[in-house]
Amino acid sequence: MEDAAITRQPRRSRRPSRIALCLFLLAPGFAAASTAQPGDSARVQTRDLVGDGVFGSGIEGPAVGPDGALYAVGFGRDGTIGRVVTRADGQGEAALFVRLPEGSTGNGIRFGADGTMYVADYTGHNVLAIDLDTRGVRVFAHLEGAHQPNDIALAPDGTLYASDPDWKNNAGQLWRVGRDGIAQRLETGMGTTNGIEVSPDGRHLYVNESVQRNVWVYDIDASGGLSGKRLLIAFPDHGMDGMRSDADGNLYIARNGAGVVAVVSPAGQVLREVKLRGAKPTNVAFGGADGRDVYVTLQDRGAIETFRSERPGRESGR
């Protein structure tokens, strides 16, 4: 979830002269470099899966369950989770799935291998577990001392990692939640931790900081601990929110305020940017029959946009 204080910054641009443009096009290596530039995103077409106002401004999540449906928080209002089924005509049909207990507000969603839905509850400082069949909600883990558990990532071994931003002080923390539900604070004194993801091989954890516009990468050891923190990429403008990885380890990062999803390689190179209709994407998820449908939740629209990716997401149905 992106703090409302982070707003889109105006960009100034001037049309280049014909001479300058010709010199640029004739520069050595231009043809090869152009295929990896953010401007290449014009080839990707987005469309609405769910239109304006179906969800509230707190729309987040999102995640595809084992039933193939897309789940997102903030259906109509905070404290709810909506379920979206794609009809034969390609349009999404949304309905209320569950109301969370009083005092709980959902944010990031992930699905375990057994089909359990895990939800970051930022007002209750919990990670909730929801049974899709019974729709029963229970506290899986309580994060004592957390600011607001925001987004969660799921490792192949079932370990959860949670970002924990302190928006007021532009700070944040990082947590690990074991399969036994025991929460461990891994790091404090970070920037505003937000989007979080595990690499396809389970060996690396990625965490971004919205206000500072950094993406960090850690090594994950056999016990789930972290080491070797290093900077993957820093953006010069706009905030960041949720992110997901495709099967090749490329990160799809919601650039809140920029109105794009940035695709970043494991080497920290921006491969392309997918331009959205809305300006404030909050998170992304992969799904569809081949795992190549990308779903993007939009804070400013209360809508969900979708586009096709070149590769499927790293998690099948999660």
Side-chain angles (χ1 to χ4, degrees):
M1 180 176 63
E2 187 73 9
D3 183 70
I6 300 177
T7 58
R8 185 174 184 176
Q9 300 297 316
R11 292 182 177 179
R12 296 180 180 178
S13 61
R14 294 185 297 174
R15 185 184 301 275
S17 68
R18 292 184 179 180
I19 294 176
L21 181 60
C22 290
L23 289 174
F24 177 70
L25 293 175
L26 292 173
F30 169 77
S34 66
T35 60
Q37 295 302 308
D40 197 43
S41 61
R43 301 178 185 179
V44 179
Q45 298 295 318
T46 69
R47 64 176 181 85
D48 283 358
L49 180 70
V50 176
D52 292 347
V54 175
F55 285 79
S57 62
I59 184 172
E60 249 276 12
V64 174
D67 57 354
L70 177 69
Y71 294 84
V73 307
F75 180 73
R77 64 178 181 84
D78 289 343
T80 62
I81 296 176
R83 180 176 183 266
V84 181
V85 177
T86 303
R87 303 191 307 247
D89 62 2
Q91 296 302 304
E93 187 173 310
L96 177 67
F97 175 68
V98 70
R99 288 187 174 87
L100 298 178
E102 188 69 27
S104 291
T105 310
N107 204 72
I109 300 175
R110 294 291 168 108
F111 281 93
D114 63 353
T116 299
M117 176 194 288
Y118 295 101
V119 183
D121 169 14
Y122 72 88
T123 50
H125 297 180
N126 301 315
V127 173
L128 304 175
I130 302 177
D131 186 300
L132 286 192
D133 295 326
T134 67
R135 306 193 186 191
V137 182
R138 63 183 175 88
V139 174
F140 175 69
H142 180 67
L143 281 61
E144 186 68 35
H147 303 295
Q148 58 163 79
N150 189 77
D151 205 357
I152 49 179
L154 182 68
D157 67 356
T159 299
L160 288 166
Y161 295 91
S163 61
D164 179 21
D166 177 3
W167 292 105
K168 181 178 179 180
N169 297 301
N170 292 339
Q173 302 181 132
L174 181 61
W175 295 77
R176 175 185 181 273
V177 179
R179 287 172 292 179
D180 54 6
I182 296 176
Q184 175 189 10
R185 184 162 36 199
L186 298 176
E187 188 172 351
T188 62
M190 299 182 69
T192 48
T193 48
N194 200 332
I196 189 166
E197 177 61 303
V198 176
S199 62
D201 59 9
R203 296 174 58 186
H204 303 293
L205 178 72
Y206 299 96
V207 182
N208 71 42
E209 298 170 332
S210 289
V211 175
Q212 295 77 14
R213 300 188 294 269
N214 297 319
V215 182
W216 299 97
V217 56
Y218 299 79
D219 298 322
I220 302 176
D221 62 30
S223 65
L226 304 180
S227 63
K229 180 181 179 180
R230 54 203 179 272
L231 185 67
L232 178 73
I233 189 173
F235 288 94
D237 57 10
H238 302 298
M240 285 181 286
D241 213 315
M243 56 188 184
R244 291 290 181 96
S245 168
D246 68 14
D248 294 335
N250 300 310
L251 292 174
Y252 285 60
I253 305 175
R255 301 290 321 283
N256 193 291
V260 301
V261 172
V263 183
V264 177
S265 75
Q269 178 187 8
V270 178
L271 302 177
R272 60 189 171 278
E273 290 181 340
V274 178
K275 181 65 178 174
L276 303 165
R277 300 180 182 187
K280 295 184 176 182
T282 58
N283 215 328
V284 297
F286 285 85
D290 59 1
R292 293 175 52 212
D293 290 334
V294 181
Y295 305 109
V296 188
T297 48
L298 279 301
Q299 177 186 13
D300 56 324
R301 298 187 56 202
I304 301 174
E305 296 183 32
T306 184
F307 64 89
R308 294 283 289 167
S309 63
E310 296 177 357
R311 297 283 288 142
R314 78 165 181 94
E315 299 171 299
S316 177
R318 295 190 295 278

